[in-house]
Amino acid sequence: MDLPETLSSTVVELNHSSARRVVFCVHPAGGGVGYYEGLARALEPYAKLYALEEPFIYSDFSYSSLPELAEYHVDVIRSIQPDGPYTIFGYCSGGVIAYEIACQLQLAGAEVDSVSMFGSGRISGFDPEERERATFLRDYIAARYGIELGGLDWERMETLDFREVAETIVDSLRRQGIPEAGSDLEWAARCIESMCLMRQATRKYRAPRSKLDVYLYEWHYLDPVAAERIKPWCDWNTLTEGKLTVVAPPERDGPGVDIMYPPYLVQTVDRVKEITLGLGQAA
């Protein structure tokens, strides 16, 4: 499908399905849509999956609020599929964006079949007392990549703009010769800057009450104690007047926690086929 150049840079076809069903998969903070690849391959006989990448990284689109970011993605979605019903997936913090996208589509009178969120239950949200702008990156990068950035002056980092924060972190990675940072440090800087934008936007976001059908696929958390301290992005008890289905994670199998990857992927695929797509256990 030919898309306008301003939009096509943020769209990734995740499979080559010829199925009529279309699913849109939303990036998490910092971009990246590889989390959906295993799911997309397994669902190819049943649905065409498109991924929506972080527009700040790939098309220089900046935003100050989550609804503004979601509006960008709504335009992309409707350029691919002008009419509903729409099925939206959101991975991790992408679940927050997916929800706002679905709300905007529904508010515009479009039919939304459902929103499925994967690991989005413990995402930080609205917090008027939050003043931290950059220091969260120190803990995030250490936890996710095992890269320590304790040598940086994080008090000073809080006074920098997001581009300066990203460049300072990338410079530290370069000086340390960190292989996990990859060879394209300019791209890494854009990802870091986009994470700051997304965190800022989410901190200001109040999730509206909707009539959406929402499926929350839970996963295993590395630190349940820390997870309990998170101020969630929504009140799950009042989020929707539609159907809220919480899908418990598979039984823990080894150190892995992410249900989008083995050893949990097969079970996740089966559950998505049955619960979200309504294909039944035999499909």
Side-chain angles (χ1 to χ4, degrees):
M1 173 176 291
D2 293 329
L3 296 171
E5 185 176 351
T6 54
L7 299 181
S8 60
S9 62
T10 63
V11 178
V12 179
E13 292 189 50
L14 292 173
N15 62 25
H16 301 290
S17 177
S18 59
R20 296 183 62 184
R21 183 97 180 228
V22 176
V23 177
F24 295 96
C25 305
V26 185
H27 65 89
V33 294
Y35 314 99
Y36 299 106
E37 288 178 353
L39 193 63
R41 286 194 296 270
L43 294 180
E44 189 167 61
Y46 316 104
K48 174 74 172 180
L49 270 65
Y50 289 97
L52 307 178
E53 259 291 14
E54 162 64 83
F56 176 79
I57 299 174
Y58 293 93
S59 68
D60 292 320
F61 174 82
S62 188
Y63 53 90
S64 60
S65 71
L66 197 142
E68 188 179 358
L69 172 61
E71 185 177 2
Y72 177 98
H73 288 310
V74 167
D75 288 343
V76 174
I77 288 171
R78 302 203 89 158
S79 70
I80 297 171
Q81 182 184 341
D83 301 304
Y86 295 101
T87 302
I88 317 291
F89 286 1
Y91 172 86
C92 195
S93 55
V96 187
I97 312 170
Y99 179 77
E100 175 60 25
I101 289 170
C103 285
Q104 290 189 17
L105 286 167
Q106 194 171 71
L107 186 63
E111 181 184 354
V112 179
D113 182 77
S114 64
V115 181
S116 291
M117 307 177 190
F118 304 89
S120 304
R122 302 294 181 91
I123 304 300
S124 297
F126 180 75
D127 187 356
E129 298 179 359
E130 175 66 64
R131 297 292 181 267
E132 181 182 279
R133 301 175 67 254
T135 307
F136 77 96
L137 291 165
R138 176 189 59 193
D139 300 330
Y140 175 83
I141 292 173
R144 177 141 195 176
Y145 301 105
I147 300 173
E148 298 296 334
L149 295 170
L152 295 178
D153 183 351
W154 288 97
E155 183 174 348
R156 176 178 174 273
M157 294 278 277
E158 288 293 320
T159 69
L160 303 179
D161 64 37
F162 292 152
R163 182 61 185 176
E164 291 172 323
V165 167
E167 289 176 345
T168 301
I169 291 174
V170 164
D171 184 60
S172 176
L173 297 175
R174 182 185 293 110
R175 285 186 283 104
Q176 293 182 62
I178 301 293
E180 292 87 349
S183 58
D184 190 346
L185 293 180
E186 171 59 26
W187 181 83
R190 297 285 288 180
C191 291
I192 292 169
E193 190 175 356
S194 74
M195 288 185 65
C196 293
L197 281 176
M198 178 64 180
R199 181 182 174 89
Q200 177 180 261
T202 306
R203 282 293 189 269
K204 297 188 295 183
Y205 180 62
R206 289 181 181 270
R209 187 176 176 86
S210 71
K211 297 182 180 180
L212 295 164
D213 286 343
V214 176
Y215 301 104
L216 174 61
Y217 291 83
E218 292 188 321
W219 62 10
H220 303 285
Y221 292 90
L222 287 171
D223 188 347
V225 176
E228 288 297 329
R229 294 198 296 265
I230 293 173
K231 292 185 177 180
W233 65 275
C234 69
D235 182 347
W236 291 102
N237 295 318
T238 61
L239 183 65
T240 180
E241 297 174 17
K243 179 173 59 178
L244 172 61
T245 303
V246 179
V247 184
E251 184 177 347
R252 186 73 178 265
D253 183 5
V257 298
D258 197 327
I259 62 171
M260 304 296 268
Y261 295 97
Y264 311 112
L265 178 60
V266 171
Q267 293 181 68
T268 299
V269 168
D270 288 342
R271 290 173 171 185
V272 168
K273 285 162 58 178
E274 179 182 358
I275 298 169
T276 296
L277 302 184
L279 298 173
Q281 294 182 340

